[in-house]
Amino acid sequence: MRTLVVLLKRMGTRTVTDDTLFDSQNAAYAQAMFEEYARNPDSVPAEWRTLFQNGGALAIAEGLIAPDQLATGRPATSPAPSSLRTSDGRGPATSPSPPASPKAPVEPEAPSAPQLDPDESTPPTSSDSTAAGAPAPSPSSSAADSLRRVLPAVSRATALVQAFRDHGHRLARIDPLGSEPPGHPQLSPAFYGTSMDELRQIPASFVFDHSEEDQSVADALTELGDIYTGSIGYEFEHLDDHLKVDWLWDKVESGAHRPPLSSDEKRTLLRRISETEGFEQFLHRAYLGQKRFSIEGTDTLVPMLDLLIEDAATAGANEVVIGMAHRGRLNVLTHTIGIPYGELLAEFEGPSLKGGQLNVAGTGDVKYHHGAKGSRTINGIGEITVTLAPNPSHLEFVNPVVLGMARSRQFGSVSKESQPNPHAVVPVLIHGDAAFAAEGVVAETLNMARLPAYHVGGTIHIIVNNQVGFTTDPADGRSTFYSSDLAKGYGIPIVHVNADDAEACIAAVRLAMAFRTHFGDDFLIDLVGYRRHGHNEADEPAYTQPLKYAEIEAHPTVQEIYSTQLIEEGTVTDEQVAALRDECAQRLRDAQDHVREYDPVDDSATDEFREVPIVPESTGVALDRLETINSATVNIPEGFTPHPKLWRQLGRRASVFSPNKAIDWGHAETLAIGSLLMEGIPVRLTGQDVQRGTFSHRHIVLHDVENGHVFVPLRQVADARLEVYNSPLTETATIGFEYGYSVGADTDVVIWEAQFGDFVNVAQVIIDQFLSSGLTKWGQYSRLTLLLPHGHEGQGPEHSSARLERFLQLCAEDNMRVTYPTTPAQYFHLLRRQALRRPERPMIVMAPKSLLRHPSATSTIDELAAGGFQHVLPDPTVADPGEITRLVLCSGKIYYDFQAHDRREEASHAAVGRVELLYPFPGAALKELMDLYPKLTEVVWAQEEPRNMGALTYIGPRLRALVPRKVPLSYAARPEQASPAEGKASKHLVAQNAVLLEALGLDGETEE
Ligand SMILES: Cc1ncc(C[n+]2csc(CCOP(=O)(O)OP(=O)(O)O)c2C)c(N)n1
Ligand SMILES: [Mg+2]
């Protein structure tokens, strides 16, 4: 055990640069002001008077001493220029302390030790603060004098104790490779103008709440030194919630998270470490050079997860959901989830033996990306499910997905009162040190932790910190000192733990889980180790980190370190350690011997079930039911006052509710969501400003103009949970979260809406790696719906395109649905169909902007009451199909531009058909449409997007295959462009007009 003295020696060589001493300095000044105020309130500035009024409760709460508790007759202290101490409640501030420069050089002269007996009656010396000519001291003033001499010393001691709590982690021995901790200037007594000699004379009880009699501050600091500067570094000083900080200090300093392990527990820990290491060493020998992303160097992750799962179960969890990247994943798959060795070894033997839970339909994925589900039985508690989410190579992007999965499973039922139970599912995110510090999705996800829409009751983050990212050193990979520093901004407690100290690693988990259970908030463990091999096992790390790898080669494994420790303690013998190693190796050899007989569990039956189509014949909703929903949305409770302008707008929904009246987009959406809720289907709608709707068309949540209360009318008819949340200004993490949520909740309607469709490309990784390919890679089902406002409306290159072409390019093997509805009724049926049909698939909707209020883009209630979503819509303006020779096919908003064009009648031989479902390609419906027009001589695909964008390159070849050979097929579109749309509205009109005329086969002016 190292003592404080050792630490101090180390500190002695450092230059003091930190100036966070203000608190203790200001306290001295504040106390003087307090006393001055007591004598004459008018003599202190107004802001001080505020602090001291009403008996000075505020000041006393800040740690000052009421003047009447000190002797009277103290001379005025000459005020030093200083500012009011901040009221963060953490500073020592128990007394005045002598002025000292915050940037004092190292080792200032230590003051002489104060007399600490409060009863001592020695008169103060002339060097004491009593000014010449002051009244003679009374008995009470001698006690005050004594206090006055003691308190500065106590103040100095308190500041030092505080410094240990705040900065002690910078002396912790967290690097297994033995690098020197950086230290911190404030950890020297000299920094505060005190000395060990002085600290030995102050009873610990003056500074600590709980301390032993006879203990001095010096003794207590020695203990603190051991706590704060051992194998765990504790970083809590950045938390803004002081209840949490106090709780953490209490736990850490009382050692509650580090109960001594029993011999059995130690042997179990050794066994787990031996299994973890044995597995990697076996694979290393048996499959030399094959990638496995070994965990060696941070092996303790596996027993850490054991305890985490056990603690989660004890706190009432039925599931732990883990997200992690490649590093150590195979070890976690087998030892944490329980995938048999045989199944993993089969993966190494060759693809032909893929099987069991790893055998998903489609392309599948490499072995270190697979997800899996297992269960653990915890003694005395029962079973707990442990899920490892599949993840792509894209580091950290699985984070929001895992949180979404966790939240969806935290709901116990679909009932409308159902609230997520954060104790039921514990999310765990395992990060890489390079990726955590540098991938933006990490910050996006951390920011969600305390938002009601995304709250999961705390995520346990573990950085598997091997101090390197591929070949990049931390110095080139981040601007922060610790890899974990980002988490500080989110007020997350952080512990750094040396991965070679197995028992300390366990303690870190115990603290993390106790914190989550108590506060329902995130906690981060920075597991500091090393990487024994290259980035993967085919890499030569010495090319780039030669010195470090020479050191690592000579460094004992954690199994060696811990077994040596247990042998020395007498917990195990040499022979037992050797037997344990042999046993681990033998189990793996046995599994390998039988790998070719390995009979994987076939779970494909489940997938087949999920693929059995359920297609509702009609998605219409009976009129009386629609009426009930409508009334609910226009009836507000007594005493609730919505905004009058808004209420006039929404109030119209009551008057238009009759069979032939036109209803708009927002109205149809409300009725669709209401109908699903009435049928007991939960709906979750999130995105930026979705409660109102970017275009002010939704107003699903009302605000009382008098008191700000909110009211959600649809809840009055709901028979299921309705979650409607405005999201943070984030796309990647929010779509990732909703994707995960939809994977976890297969019945719920989960909708994410973009502010404008353009912004979906911020989340391109989630679209590419999860939404479009999760099913084929991992068998992951989702019915997430993305509403992406799209359309060329003269608003510039941005705000025009949801990049339809990108979604269509990703479509294959029936992986998702891409739609572009043009009427409220079509949208109504589409939403309902998405909720009611199987197989589940993600759905992309090119959503309207101007069509939200377009007088022609309306539907009737009758259209909602019957029928369903039409893949293709014929031209309703065509009176005689026999006259039609030209068929213009288009999708979306441009349809209305055609019908409203002032030369539309000149092209009476042309019909404009709408392709409302783009993928899966509606070949049959298009064929039917073409058959309507027997005299067809030409077909044109028309789109407002440039030729290199929109649906053209997707739909062109498909139409060509469908349109009769003798009928020419042409395209009308903006020319190929690097940017989707014109920056000027006038240019937009010209370009749009050119497309329309070309499609209708009319010559025309195209100038500006
Ligand atoms: C988004 C993304 N960019 C780049 C890569 C390539 N890559 C794979 S592993 C790796 C290094 C990761 O370092 P770290 O996060 O420290 O994890 P470690 O491999 O050390 O466990 C990189 C750059 C990737 N997988 N994902
Ligand atoms: Mg790393």
Side-chain angles (χ1 to χ4, degrees), residues 20 111 126 138 158 181 386 415 474 543 659 739 786 811 853 871 987:
T20 56
S126 59
S138 64
T158 310
V386 187
S415 103
Y543 289 158
Y739 175 79
L786 301 187
C811 288
R853 294 189 178 80
H871 296 183
K987 284 198 167 171

PDB file of all heavy atoms in Angstrom, residues 20 111 126 138 158 181 386 415 474 543 659 739 786 811 853 871 987:
ATOM      1  N   THR A  20      -7.813  26.403  -8.964  1.00  0.00           N
ATOM      2  CA  THR A  20      -9.163  26.189  -8.453  1.00  0.00           C
ATOM      3  C   THR A  20      -9.237  26.398  -6.950  1.00  0.00           C
ATOM      4  O   THR A  20     -10.119  25.898  -6.283  1.00  0.00           O
ATOM      5  CB  THR A  20      -9.662  24.779  -8.791  1.00  0.00           C
ATOM      6  OG1 THR A  20      -8.725  23.859  -8.283  1.00  0.00           O
ATOM      7  CG2 THR A  20      -9.834  24.586 -10.272  1.00  0.00           C
ATOM      8  N   PRO A 111       2.716  26.785   7.505  1.00  0.00           N
ATOM      9  CA  PRO A 111       2.550  27.548   8.741  1.00  0.00           C
ATOM     10  C   PRO A 111       2.785  26.670   9.946  1.00  0.00           C
ATOM     11  O   PRO A 111       2.700  25.445   9.878  1.00  0.00           O
ATOM     12  CB  PRO A 111       1.088  27.986   8.657  1.00  0.00           C
ATOM     13  CG  PRO A 111       0.429  26.985   7.776  1.00  0.00           C
ATOM     14  CD  PRO A 111       1.463  26.473   6.849  1.00  0.00           C
ATOM     15  N   SER A 126       0.656  39.127  19.406  1.00  0.00           N
ATOM     16  CA  SER A 126       0.473  40.330  18.578  1.00  0.00           C
ATOM     17  C   SER A 126       0.418  39.990  17.099  1.00  0.00           C
ATOM     18  O   SER A 126      -0.102  40.743  16.304  1.00  0.00           O
ATOM     19  CB  SER A 126       1.584  41.326  18.862  1.00  0.00           C
ATOM     20  OG  SER A 126       2.825  40.708  18.585  1.00  0.00           O
ATOM     21  N   SER A 138     -12.673  39.073  26.014  1.00  0.00           N
ATOM     22  CA  SER A 138     -13.497  38.485  27.061  1.00  0.00           C
ATOM     23  C   SER A 138     -13.260  36.986  27.010  1.00  0.00           C
ATOM     24  O   SER A 138     -12.622  36.487  26.083  1.00  0.00           O
ATOM     25  CB  SER A 138     -14.953  38.798  26.753  1.00  0.00           C
ATOM     26  OG  SER A 138     -15.268  38.145  25.542  1.00  0.00           O
ATOM     27  N   THR A 158      -9.448  20.714   4.709  1.00  0.00           N
ATOM     28  CA  THR A 158     -10.658  20.377   3.959  1.00  0.00           C
ATOM     29  C   THR A 158     -10.423  20.536   2.464  1.00  0.00           C
ATOM     30  O   THR A 158     -10.862  19.725   1.652  1.00  0.00           O
ATOM     31  CB  THR A 158     -11.818  21.302   4.405  1.00  0.00           C
ATOM     32  OG1 THR A 158     -11.882  21.280   5.814  1.00  0.00           O
ATOM     33  CG2 THR A 158     -13.128  20.848   3.814  1.00  0.00           C
ATOM     34  N   PRO A 181       1.318   7.912 -13.518  1.00  0.00           N
ATOM     35  CA  PRO A 181       0.133   8.770 -13.524  1.00  0.00           C
ATOM     36  C   PRO A 181       0.563  10.228 -13.618  1.00  0.00           C
ATOM     37  O   PRO A 181       1.643  10.587 -13.132  1.00  0.00           O
ATOM     38  CB  PRO A 181      -0.531   8.489 -12.175  1.00  0.00           C
ATOM     39  CG  PRO A 181       0.118   7.264 -11.646  1.00  0.00           C
ATOM     40  CD  PRO A 181       1.464   7.159 -12.278  1.00  0.00           C
ATOM     41  N   VAL A 386     -29.948 -12.646 -21.633  1.00  0.00           N
ATOM     42  CA  VAL A 386     -28.808 -11.782 -21.992  1.00  0.00           C
ATOM     43  C   VAL A 386     -28.747 -11.724 -23.519  1.00  0.00           C
ATOM     44  O   VAL A 386     -28.638 -12.749 -24.179  1.00  0.00           O
ATOM     45  CB  VAL A 386     -27.480 -12.328 -21.433  1.00  0.00           C
ATOM     46  CG1 VAL A 386     -26.363 -11.329 -21.684  1.00  0.00           C
ATOM     47  CG2 VAL A 386     -27.595 -12.615 -19.950  1.00  0.00           C
ATOM     48  N   SER A 415     -50.897  -1.473 -22.803  1.00  0.00           N
ATOM     49  CA  SER A 415     -51.970  -0.631 -22.258  1.00  0.00           C
ATOM     50  C   SER A 415     -51.582   0.838 -22.260  1.00  0.00           C
ATOM     51  O   SER A 415     -50.410   1.200 -22.183  1.00  0.00           O
ATOM     52  CB  SER A 415     -52.322  -1.085 -20.845  1.00  0.00           C
ATOM     53  OG  SER A 415     -51.759  -0.200 -19.915  1.00  0.00           O
ATOM     54  N   PRO A 474      -3.309   7.185 -28.775  1.00  0.00           N
ATOM     55  CA  PRO A 474      -4.246   8.192 -28.259  1.00  0.00           C
ATOM     56  C   PRO A 474      -3.838   9.618 -28.603  1.00  0.00           C
ATOM     57  O   PRO A 474      -4.679  10.459 -28.895  1.00  0.00           O
ATOM     58  CB  PRO A 474      -4.220   7.957 -26.748  1.00  0.00           C
ATOM     59  CG  PRO A 474      -3.871   6.507 -26.610  1.00  0.00           C
ATOM     60  CD  PRO A 474      -2.960   6.203 -27.757  1.00  0.00           C
ATOM     61  N   TYR A 543       5.200  -3.124 -36.073  1.00  0.00           N
ATOM     62  CA  TYR A 543       5.521  -2.181 -37.160  1.00  0.00           C
ATOM     63  C   TYR A 543       5.345  -0.744 -36.670  1.00  0.00           C
ATOM     64  O   TYR A 543       6.077   0.150 -37.031  1.00  0.00           O
ATOM     65  CB  TYR A 543       4.562  -2.343 -38.346  1.00  0.00           C
ATOM     66  CG  TYR A 543       4.729  -3.598 -39.167  1.00  0.00           C
ATOM     67  CD1 TYR A 543       3.663  -4.063 -39.931  1.00  0.00           C
ATOM     68  CD2 TYR A 543       5.931  -4.288 -39.208  1.00  0.00           C
ATOM     69  CE1 TYR A 543       3.777  -5.198 -40.706  1.00  0.00           C
ATOM     70  CE2 TYR A 543       6.050  -5.435 -39.989  1.00  0.00           C
ATOM     71  CZ  TYR A 543       4.982  -5.887 -40.734  1.00  0.00           C
ATOM     72  OH  TYR A 543       5.084  -7.008 -41.496  1.00  0.00           O
ATOM     73  N   PRO A 659     -69.478  12.619 -45.087  1.00  0.00           N
ATOM     74  CA  PRO A 659     -68.942  11.761 -46.148  1.00  0.00           C
ATOM     75  C   PRO A 659     -68.316  12.464 -47.348  1.00  0.00           C
ATOM     76  O   PRO A 659     -67.287  12.043 -47.835  1.00  0.00           O
ATOM     77  CB  PRO A 659     -70.145  10.918 -46.548  1.00  0.00           C
ATOM     78  CG  PRO A 659     -70.977  10.858 -45.310  1.00  0.00           C
ATOM     79  CD  PRO A 659     -70.768  12.152 -44.594  1.00  0.00           C
ATOM     80  N   TYR A 739     -35.039   2.533 -34.765  1.00  0.00           N
ATOM     81  CA  TYR A 739     -34.846   1.223 -35.405  1.00  0.00           C
ATOM     82  C   TYR A 739     -34.781   0.142 -34.321  1.00  0.00           C
ATOM     83  O   TYR A 739     -35.469  -0.874 -34.389  1.00  0.00           O
ATOM     84  CB  TYR A 739     -33.568   1.227 -36.245  1.00  0.00           C
ATOM     85  CG  TYR A 739     -33.253  -0.130 -36.837  1.00  0.00           C
ATOM     86  CD1 TYR A 739     -33.908  -0.586 -37.958  1.00  0.00           C
ATOM     87  CD2 TYR A 739     -32.311  -0.974 -36.229  1.00  0.00           C
ATOM     88  CE1 TYR A 739     -33.649  -1.842 -38.482  1.00  0.00           C
ATOM     89  CE2 TYR A 739     -32.041  -2.233 -36.742  1.00  0.00           C
ATOM     90  CZ  TYR A 739     -32.707  -2.658 -37.874  1.00  0.00           C
ATOM     91  OH  TYR A 739     -32.448  -3.911 -38.373  1.00  0.00           O
ATOM     92  N   LEU A 786     -40.288   5.758 -41.816  1.00  0.00           N
ATOM     93  CA  LEU A 786     -39.643   7.074 -41.892  1.00  0.00           C
ATOM     94  C   LEU A 786     -40.497   7.993 -42.759  1.00  0.00           C
ATOM     95  O   LEU A 786     -40.786   7.667 -43.918  1.00  0.00           O
ATOM     96  CB  LEU A 786     -38.248   6.966 -42.512  1.00  0.00           C
ATOM     97  CG  LEU A 786     -37.215   6.064 -41.839  1.00  0.00           C
ATOM     98  CD1 LEU A 786     -35.846   6.243 -42.519  1.00  0.00           C
ATOM     99  CD2 LEU A 786     -37.089   6.367 -40.349  1.00  0.00           C
ATOM    100  N   CYS A 811     -32.838  -1.128 -52.235  1.00  0.00           N
ATOM    101  CA  CYS A 811     -33.941  -2.099 -52.202  1.00  0.00           C
ATOM    102  C   CYS A 811     -33.590  -3.385 -52.942  1.00  0.00           C
ATOM    103  O   CYS A 811     -33.169  -3.336 -54.100  1.00  0.00           O
ATOM    104  CB  CYS A 811     -35.174  -1.487 -52.851  1.00  0.00           C
ATOM    105  SG  CYS A 811     -35.937  -0.217 -51.855  1.00  0.00           S
ATOM    106  N   ARG A 853     -51.472  21.206 -47.589  1.00  0.00           N
ATOM    107  CA  ARG A 853     -52.584  22.169 -47.650  1.00  0.00           C
ATOM    108  C   ARG A 853     -53.061  22.399 -49.086  1.00  0.00           C
ATOM    109  O   ARG A 853     -53.771  23.349 -49.366  1.00  0.00           O
ATOM    110  CB  ARG A 853     -52.127  23.501 -47.043  1.00  0.00           C
ATOM    111  CG  ARG A 853     -51.846  23.384 -45.571  1.00  0.00           C
ATOM    112  CD  ARG A 853     -51.598  24.699 -44.901  1.00  0.00           C
ATOM    113  NE  ARG A 853     -51.397  24.479 -43.482  1.00  0.00           N
ATOM    114  CZ  ARG A 853     -50.247  24.065 -42.946  1.00  0.00           C
ATOM    115  NH1 ARG A 853     -49.203  23.860 -43.710  1.00  0.00           N
ATOM    116  NH2 ARG A 853     -50.158  23.853 -41.645  1.00  0.00           N
ATOM    117  N   HIS A 871     -51.467   0.621 -55.036  1.00  0.00           N
ATOM    118  CA  HIS A 871     -50.070   0.694 -55.471  1.00  0.00           C
ATOM    119  C   HIS A 871     -49.876   1.738 -56.565  1.00  0.00           C
ATOM    120  O   HIS A 871     -48.859   2.407 -56.643  1.00  0.00           O
ATOM    121  CB  HIS A 871     -49.603  -0.649 -56.001  1.00  0.00           C
ATOM    122  CG  HIS A 871     -49.606  -1.711 -54.946  1.00  0.00           C
ATOM    123  ND1 HIS A 871     -49.180  -2.981 -55.157  1.00  0.00           N
ATOM    124  CD2 HIS A 871     -49.989  -1.679 -53.656  1.00  0.00           C
ATOM    125  CE1 HIS A 871     -49.290  -3.698 -54.044  1.00  0.00           C
ATOM    126  NE2 HIS A 871     -49.794  -2.916 -53.126  1.00  0.00           N
ATOM    127  N   LYS A 987     -35.871  30.073 -61.062  1.00  0.00           N
ATOM    128  CA  LYS A 987     -35.214  29.020 -61.854  1.00  0.00           C
ATOM    129  C   LYS A 987     -35.936  27.691 -61.668  1.00  0.00           C
ATOM    130  O   LYS A 987     -36.018  26.879 -62.582  1.00  0.00           O
ATOM    131  CB  LYS A 987     -33.760  28.881 -61.428  1.00  0.00           C
ATOM    132  CG  LYS A 987     -32.888  29.987 -61.958  1.00  0.00           C
ATOM    133  CD  LYS A 987     -31.431  29.596 -61.887  1.00  0.00           C
ATOM    134  CE  LYS A 987     -30.601  30.575 -62.696  1.00  0.00           C
ATOM    135  NZ  LYS A 987     -29.180  30.401 -62.509  1.00  0.00           N
TER     136      LYS A 987
END
